[in-house]
Amino acid sequence: GNVHADNDDEDETVGSSIETPTISTDERRFNLLRRQSSAVRGVINQLERWQEPEAKLDAKRNNNPSIHDILKFRKALAFLDDIQLFGYAFGDAQTRNKCVRSAMKVYKRLLRFTPEEDNVQFDVIGALTYDRDGNIDEKKVKQIVSLFRPDRNDEITMLAFIQSCDIVYKKVRFFRASLQNSATIDIVLSNLLDWFFFFVLGLTVMNVLGSDPWPLLVSLSTLVVSFAFAFGPSLAKYIEGILLIAMRRPYDIGDRITISGPEVVAKPMEGDTWLVEDITLTSTTLRYAGTNEVSSLNNFSISNSRIVNLGRSHRALLRLSIRFN
């Protein structure tokens, strides 16, 4: 079953050919890309941590979608509500339990490609990285390796496969909930702006028709001043909380965050984080990771706090202290 391989760069250096198992050119290139990716990551991990600065002018130019982009986005959102979220071949994924059941069936079907093995070989899933011309897409290789995380034997267990599918399922559901929540907040802000617009429009119409709006404004100013004395501090906090969500938007549904004072250096651990479950203009609902309890906070109470969003901290450093006796 062994054949003489053609001389490549390494063979030319040695000056002779060696006998190797029969491996296709595509498989050899696929394995080479994986080794190169691992080598590059190892070198980068030894370098100083650095992140590319964001070009705000370029980002602003790219944030002007066309009508075609908007229609494509709306069409893509329609697939998020489909029963077969991951396609017909995967099966029903309407709920988490159904998604796990479908993932188990898919894993058993993948085992048929290597019936002599107990676990699915990564090369079976790696076939997804080939394009229509038979070439390997390096970007897809990195994405699939990052998603399924094969072990040192290039095998994927059933539990690891189901966990990968479950991670994607939860991200999709959180993304859908975040979009719906953002749409609700935008509608409320739009209604507030509409009230202000109609008020200014009414004053303009009164001025055009010959009516003097100033007596009305004077009478309203009296009410506003008395209202400001009675509810001024509370109203200021209410507006501060609205600005936190409407302008800053420090978190979305599904993000894991930590909250501390502005002068405190936060050291987030797994038990000290909160999972964002719901967001409104006035309050935020959080679930504590340590005890799984649900808490509701007023937005103004955390507007001056130091909020660390772990979901947006992709290059954050984690320090672990290990004691040896």
Side-chain angles (χ1 to χ4, degrees):
N2 295 335
V3 296
H4 288 285
D6 295 335
N7 292 341
D8 52 9
D9 295 339
E10 296 180 357
D11 294 333
E12 292 178 359
T13 304
V14 176
S16 62
S17 61
I18 59 175
E19 292 186 356
T20 57
T22 303
I23 301 176
S24 63
T25 305
D26 291 337
E27 291 179 352
R28 186 177 302 172
R29 185 182 176 189
F30 177 76
N31 295 330
L32 178 61
L33 288 175
R34 288 195 58 201
R35 290 195 299 268
Q36 289 178 348
S37 178
S38 301
V40 171
R41 286 198 302 269
V43 173
I44 292 178
N45 291 334
Q46 298 179 14
L47 298 178
E48 181 183 359
R49 294 285 180 175
W50 186 76
Q51 188 172 1
E52 293 284 348
E54 181 182 0
K56 295 185 178 180
L57 183 59
D58 296 338
K60 185 176 181 180
R61 292 173 179 174
N62 296 329
N63 287 334
N64 296 324
S66 61
I67 300 298
H68 180 66
D69 295 335
I70 295 175
L71 294 178
K72 288 176 62 178
F73 182 73
R74 291 178 62 88
K75 185 178 180 180
L77 290 180
F79 288 101
L80 299 182
D81 297 328
D82 195 350
I83 296 177
Q84 298 172 343
L85 179 62
F86 300 132
Y88 177 79
F90 186 86
D92 191 358
Q94 188 175 12
T95 62
R96 189 184 185 189
N97 292 336
K98 294 180 179 180
C99 179
V100 172
R101 191 179 299 112
S102 298
M104 294 176 63
K105 294 180 181 179
V106 172
Y107 186 86
K108 293 178 180 179
R109 293 204 302 267
L110 293 176
L111 278 176
R112 298 175 185 175
F113 290 94
T114 54
E116 68 281 358
E117 301 291 343
D118 296 331
N119 299 321
V120 171
Q121 301 299 308
F122 182 76
D123 293 338
V124 175
I125 301 179
L128 298 173
T129 60
Y130 294 95
D131 56 15
R132 295 181 178 178
D133 298 331
N135 300 321
I136 295 178
D137 189 344
E138 184 177 356
K139 184 177 180 181
K140 284 186 179 180
V141 173
K142 295 180 180 179
Q143 291 175 347
I144 292 180
V145 171
S146 176
L147 176 60
F148 292 100
R149 297 291 183 181
D151 57 16
R152 63 181 63 184
N153 298 322
D154 284 344
E155 294 181 349
I156 303 175
T157 63
M158 176 179 286
L159 179 59
F161 181 81
I162 295 175
Q163 287 176 341
S164 301
C165 297
D166 184 59
I167 290 174
V168 177
Y169 174 82
K170 290 189 291 186
K171 286 184 178 181
V172 171
R173 291 310 182 195
F174 277 134
F175 176 69
R176 182 58 174 166
S178 179
L179 288 177
Q180 294 177 349
N181 184 79
S182 297
T184 303
I185 293 176
D186 291 340
I187 290 174
V188 175
L189 292 175
S190 178
N191 293 333
L192 293 176
L193 293 177
D194 288 342
W195 279 102
F196 178 77
F197 172 77
F198 288 129
F199 176 74
V200 176
L201 181 62
L203 296 179
T204 305
V205 171
M206 291 177 60
N207 191 21
V208 171
L209 295 178
S211 300
D212 189 6
W214 289 109
L216 177 61
L217 292 177
V218 171
S219 60
L220 289 178
S221 63
T222 304
L223 294 176
V224 170
V225 171
S226 59
F227 182 80
F229 276 107
F231 303 99
S234 300
L235 184 61
K237 294 180 179 179
Y238 181 81
I239 295 176
E240 188 176 3
I242 292 177
L243 293 177
L244 172 69
I245 301 302
M247 303 300 294
R248 290 172 53 188
R249 302 207 175 195
Y251 45 75
D252 295 318
I253 292 180
D255 288 345
R256 194 174 295 274
I257 64 174
T258 61
I259 303 175
S260 60
E263 71 285 350
V264 178
V265 179
K267 297 180 180 179
M269 300 298 291
E270 183 67 24
D272 298 333
T273 58
W274 298 83
L275 182 66
V276 181
E277 291 196 343
D278 189 25
I279 305 173
T280 64
L281 287 177
T282 58
S283 63
T284 299
T285 303
L286 305 174
R287 182 179 296 273
Y288 188 54
T291 58
N292 207 31
E293 61 181 340
V294 178
S295 178
S296 181
L297 301 176
N298 292 323
N299 292 332
F300 68 83
S301 63
I302 59 176
S303 59
N304 294 325
S305 301
R306 185 174 186 266
I307 302 175
V308 179
N309 192 331
L310 304 183
R312 301 177 185 177
S313 305
H314 300 293
R315 297 184 178 273
L317 296 177
L318 178 61
R319 295 184 179 181
L320 298 177
S321 299
I322 302 178
R323 295 183 177 181
F324 295 93
N325 188 0

